[in-house]
Amino acid sequence: MGVVTKTVGEALIDILEANGVDTVFGIPGVHTVELYRGLAASKIRHITPRHEQGAGFMADGYARVTGKPGVALVITGPGLTNTITPMAQAYQDSIPMLVISGVNARASLGHGTGKLHELPDQQAMISTLAPMSHTLLEPGDLPAVMERAFAILTSCRPGPVHIEIPTDVMAKQISLGPLQAVQATGPRASADQVRALLKLCREASRPAILCGGGAVSAAVAVKSLAETLDAPVVSTVNARGLMAGHPLSVPASPSLAAVRDFLAGSDLVIALGTQMGQTDYDMYADGGFPDLDSLVRVDIDPEQLTRGAAASLKVLSTVDQLLEDLLPLLADHRAEAGGAERARACREAALAGLSPKMRAEIAVLDIIREALPGCRIVGDSTQAIYSGNLYFEAGRPSGWFNAATGFGALGYGPPAAIGASLGDPDAPVVCVTGDGGLQFVLAEIGSARDCGANVIFLVWNNDGYGEIRTYMEDCGIEPEGVTPSAPDFLKIADAYGLPSRRLADVADLAEALQIMAAKGGPSLIEVHETGTRGLSA
């Protein structure tokens, strides 16, 4: 293709397509219709949620399973402010998200004349939580701005990138030359850093590996490193399933005493792509995570290496590139460090340290994983998910993620599950959501129906905000405001045309999941904390 003349809106779609975007999530409005001009003729699929918050969470779920940026297309003003919560969740969990919004015409910006959807300074508002927020004032700058956006999304610590396009710019004509996908790579460790880590690996007799979400893309290489060093692998919430079922896997939270003791007893701990933040490492805010004398931190973000746990060696690199350089140097190294036995002991101690109620909830999660091999479990902030974050082995990389960590946005699970299903339509997705959380985004059931997402909504009904109710009781506070009424979820499902079932016994769960998965498309199963036998201790 030579140089062509197109509108900014049409050129935007071409640039997205050239960079591998096949799905966008959004609700069109008068402030974005010009961005839709080229969409129908493209190969990009448009998914319409019921609320822009749903668009952002869908983009998040899509990004987690594909590794590509999730794209949300929203109007100026309320469309963008509705997307702020998903952007904040993506920022906290380092998820690549591209949010493209409209904004009022250039001549009106900053004048406060009461234009429809006007904000005092929309770009400044978003820039506090986005690695990049740019207002496209010059139409011809579009290709360069989009190149910068994709370079940030693919080579830096992931997060939400925002581009706003004034309504008078969208229809302007620009010249567009041949397009290519942006090729960018993140930082790579220096040879000295690789040699320093190599020396530590060869000398260690009780090594351990900590994995965060930044290690998921390197799952195969992480497994190879673990086997080479005979090192147990502790996975944080966003890394669960990275070592699915492996004897060296420890799918337990570093907030648990047993895991902390295990790490403290290791003479080398390599932390790969993990923020080492409170919601993974100090969930109970007791300050009990140990100081580790031989901690190595590997991170894509130089600032993150200066925060949190102090390390004896800090390596600025993507996990993929570091292991690509390190593993060949360890080709002749085969340690015998009792890794499988150390991992088994840690797993057993971690699980034993949980309450009977938590263990019963984890057992239900185990049923889901075994009933639907290869499934992804996407969670909302509900009690079973909190228990799973403490201890649960997902069946695959990116097979477990939720909002009960990081930013902790309630209502995340259902739209994120839809996005995950669209990103990998061959894998069954089970969304574990509470009756309270589901009501934040209840209408997205209709979005799932519209796009045929293979999502089973498993409603964990505990008559309100059960986790908060329990917390208030534990603090000696009379529970208040935690018992919002719920609709009959089966009737809601029927209204949207979804098959549904209410279980009397957890023993029926595996069969129910298999039946619903066989039907294809979205469905709903409800379990009740006290009304379903075996749900919890």
Side-chain angles (χ1 to χ4, degrees), residues 159-229:
V161 165
H162 169 239
I163 297 171
E164 62 179 14
I165 306 178
T167 53
D168 63 317
V169 171
M170 296 177 187
K172 296 290 185 182
Q173 298 278 330
I174 63 170
S175 296
L176 191 67
L179 297 173
Q180 292 182 333
V182 173
Q183 301 295 323
T185 58
R188 194 170 202 131
S190 68
D192 287 344
Q193 288 179 317
V194 174
R195 283 193 293 268
L197 179 53
L198 174 66
K199 182 174 185 293
L200 292 173
C201 289
R202 289 188 179 278
E203 294 175 348
S205 60
R206 299 182 312 281
I209 299 171
L210 275 168
C211 283
V216 172
S217 63
V220 173
V222 170
K223 179 181 176 182
S224 180
L225 178 66
E227 292 174 343
T228 298
L229 301 181

Side-chain angles (χ1 to χ4, degrees), residues 116-405:
L116 180 64
H117 302 329
E118 185 178 58
L119 287 167
D121 192 336
Q122 184 170 279
Q123 186 272 334
M125 175 184 68
I126 295 298
S127 64
T128 61
L129 55 86
M132 168 186 170
S133 180
H134 182 89
T135 305
L136 187 71
L137 297 176
E138 293 297 328
D141 290 344
L142 177 68
V145 169
M146 294 299 293
E147 181 177 8
R148 181 159 61 98
F150 276 101
I152 290 172
L153 286 164
T154 55
S155 66
C156 300
R157 177 186 175 187
V161 165
H162 169 239
I163 297 171
E164 62 179 14
I165 306 178
T167 53
D168 63 317
V169 171
M170 296 177 187
K172 296 290 185 182
Q173 298 278 330
I174 63 170
S175 296
L176 191 67
L179 297 173
Q180 292 182 333
V182 173
Q183 301 295 323
T185 58
R188 194 170 202 131
S190 68
D192 287 344
Q193 288 179 317
V194 174
R195 283 193 293 268
L197 179 53
L198 174 66
K199 182 174 185 293
L200 292 173
C201 289
R202 289 188 179 278
E203 294 175 348
S205 60
R206 299 182 312 281
I209 299 171
L210 275 168
C211 283
V216 172
S217 63
V220 173
V222 170
K223 179 181 176 182
S224 180
L225 178 66
E227 292 174 343
T228 298
L229 301 181
D230 198 18
V233 178
V234 176
S235 51
T236 64
V237 171
N238 286 332
R240 293 292 170 79
L242 187 145
M243 293 281 288
H246 196 284
L248 292 172
S249 178
V250 180
S253 171
S255 295
L256 297 176
V259 180
R260 290 173 169 182
D261 290 344
F262 161 72
L263 294 171
S266 301
D267 61 355
L268 173 64
V269 178
I270 305 173
L272 300 173
T274 173
Q275 187 182 46
M276 301 193 79
Q278 179 185 346
T279 54
D280 270 312
Y281 289 82
D282 196 15
M283 189 179 297
Y284 298 109
D286 59 12
F289 189 78
D291 293 328
L292 302 174
D293 293 333
S294 295
L295 175 64
V296 176
R297 294 186 63 180
V298 180
D299 203 282
I300 196 173
D301 184 355
E303 290 187 17
Q304 195 57 44
L305 287 171
T306 69
R307 303 182 183 119
S312 58
L313 176 62
K314 300 176 181 178
V315 181
L316 179 65
S317 178
T318 67
V319 176
D320 303 72
Q321 293 183 132
L322 173 69
L323 297 187
E324 183 180 315
D325 294 337
L326 178 65
L327 285 171
L329 302 178
L330 287 167
D332 62 342
H333 183 78
R334 281 295 178 270
E336 294 183 5
E341 175 58 27
R342 294 168 62 221
R344 182 197 61 77
C346 186
R347 288 194 303 267
E348 291 181 357
L351 188 58
L354 301 179
S355 69
K357 181 177 183 295
M358 287 179 175
R359 292 199 297 271
E361 291 165 350
I362 292 166
V364 176
L365 299 174
D366 289 338
I367 291 173
I368 299 171
R369 182 193 61 230
E370 297 305 314
L372 301 175
C375 75
R376 302 183 192 275
I377 301 175
V378 182
D380 215 85
S381 294
T382 193
Q383 287 180 317
I385 297 298
Y386 283 109
S387 296
N389 282 348
L390 288 172
Y391 188 102
F392 177 67
E393 180 69 289
R396 62 183 298 174
S398 300
W400 170 269
F401 55 89
N402 57 78
T405 182

Side-chain angles (χ1 to χ4, degrees), residues 325-507:
D325 294 337
L326 178 65
L327 285 171
L329 302 178
L330 287 167
D332 62 342
H333 183 78
R334 281 295 178 270
E336 294 183 5
E341 175 58 27
R342 294 168 62 221
R344 182 197 61 77
C346 186
R347 288 194 303 267
E348 291 181 357
L351 188 58
L354 301 179
S355 69
K357 181 177 183 295
M358 287 179 175
R359 292 199 297 271
E361 291 165 350
I362 292 166
V364 176
L365 299 174
D366 289 338
I367 291 173
I368 299 171
R369 182 193 61 230
E370 297 305 314
L372 301 175
C375 75
R376 302 183 192 275
I377 301 175
V378 182
D380 215 85
S381 294
T382 193
Q383 287 180 317
I385 297 298
Y386 283 109
S387 296
N389 282 348
L390 288 172
Y391 188 102
F392 177 67
E393 180 69 289
R396 62 183 298 174
S398 300
W400 170 269
F401 55 89
N402 57 78
T405 182
F407 194 58
L410 199 57
Y412 167 89
I418 295 169
S421 177
L422 294 170
D424 183 8
D426 294 330
V429 176
V430 178
C431 173
V432 180
T433 179
D435 55 302
L438 179 56
Q439 291 186 79
F440 271 50
V441 289
L442 191 58
E444 300 302 354
I445 291 175
S447 303
R449 178 68 176 181
D450 288 350
C451 64
N454 293 318
V455 177
I456 301 171
F457 297 98
L458 181 62
V459 184
W460 195 289
N461 192 333
N462 55 21
D463 298 317
Y465 303 130
E467 182 70 18
I468 303 303
R469 182 173 62 241
T470 299
Y471 186 78
M472 294 176 81
E473 291 169 347
D474 290 345
C475 292
I477 299 170
E478 182 71 23
E480 184 65 50
V482 292
T483 55
S485 60
D488 185 326
F489 290 108
L490 270 63
K491 290 182 178 177
I492 295 291
D494 183 62
Y496 280 110
L498 272 62
S500 61
R501 181 173 173 183
R502 181 176 290 119
L503 299 187
D505 197 309
V506 163

